[in-house]
Amino acid sequence: EIVMTQTPLSLPVTLGQPASISCRSSKSLVYYDGKTYLSWLHQRPGQPPRLLIYKISDRFSGVPDRFSGSGAGTDFTLNISRVEADDVGIYYCMQATQLRTFGQGTRLEIK
Amino acid sequence: EVQFVESGGGLVQPGGSLRLSCAASGFVFSKYEMNWVRQAPGKGLEWVAYISASGRVTYYADSVKGRFTISRDENSLHLDMNSLRVEDTAVYYCMRDDYDSGCFGGPWGQGTLVTVSS
């Protein structure tokens, strides 16, 4: 099983400031087709998750360009260029290279 | 628009059974692999089961293997849950895999709540 480890687990951020979340996998996420199936999800309180980023850096439909993803192999990062009030909640990374596993989640709150 | 509507959740006693369903619309359901994912109250996301587009290949998390069965028909995904335990209490979501675009992880329905309690 591939284990996904996120840091930090809690992230207080001032409105308008950038934020960054890291995700590390226990094995390389490069699939046999050469692609890397690493996604980022956001879950607001009381809501289902919503997809933000897939294949490391592709933004899902309707996701603002404030959100960006980067990384390769086993180390990945989600960046938010300017945090807005709506961005609070929990962020998860998810790998789909070998079955599916999720990170523990990172709680973003406004300072 | 791709949509999922999960149903079938409810209160069940330990050792009991339940069948969850996920009605899909907005895309050709038979062409996509599907998963069940769950979230226990106040906890993170946990992958539960996978089924191939044909329905012939299935995988399960160790925590549910031998107790849960994933299946599909023309436009719906199902999860038959037997020998339920208190720790199976969670909101259950269905999740689509899109290998063509490499898009994994969404979109999501509202989920259905399963509560296992005496």
Side-chain angles (χ1 to χ4, degrees), chain A residues 31 35 37 39 41 43 47-51 53-55 58 60 92 94 96 99-104, chain B residues 35 37 39 43-47 50 59 93 95 97 99-110:
Chain A
Y31 195 48
K35 296 176 186 170
Y37 296 116
S39 301
L41 297 83
Q43 186 174 33
Q47 296 292 315
R50 69 169 183 134
L51 179 62
I53 302 279
Y54 62 97
K55 272 194 310 184
D58 289 353
F60 191 59
Y92 297 94
M94 185 200 88
L99 298 180
R100 314 283 173 268
T101 44
F102 297 88
Q104 323 95 298
Chain B
N35 301 267
V37 174
Q39 186 171 36
K43 301 294 184 185
L45 299 167
E46 180 190 14
W47 171 79
Y50 158 96
Y59 298 111
Y93 300 97
M95 184 179 75
D97 289 346
Y99 280 92
D100 284 345
S101 66
C103 183
F104 297 87
W108 298 68
Q110 291 297 312

Side-chain angles (χ1 to χ4, degrees), chain B residues 7-47:
Chain B
S7 62
L11 174 63
V12 61
Q13 291 189 336
S17 300
L18 215 51
R19 184 179 224 217
L20 306 184
S21 296
C22 165
S25 60
F27 65 102
V28 181
F29 180 71
S30 60
K31 292 189 175 180
Y32 291 83
E33 292 78 8
M34 295 292 298
N35 301 267
W36 284 100
V37 174
R38 69 184 180 183
Q39 186 171 36
K43 301 294 184 185
L45 299 167
E46 180 190 14
W47 171 79

Side-chain angles (χ1 to χ4, degrees), chain A residues 49-101:
Chain A
R50 69 169 183 134
L51 179 62
L52 296 175
I53 302 279
Y54 62 97
K55 272 194 310 184
I56 302 177
S57 57
D58 289 353
R59 271 186 298 277
F60 191 59
S61 173
V63 175
D65 59 10
R66 300 185 293 106
F67 292 89
S68 63
S70 62
T74 61
D75 289 285
F76 307 93
T77 303
L78 174 70
N79 288 297
I80 309 173
S81 59
R82 298 171 308 281
V83 168
E84 297 183 359
D86 245 4
D87 298 336
V88 298
I90 302 177
Y91 290 81
Y92 297 94
C93 58
M94 185 200 88
Q95 67 81 20
T97 293
Q98 181 181 312
L99 298 180
R100 314 283 173 268
T101 44

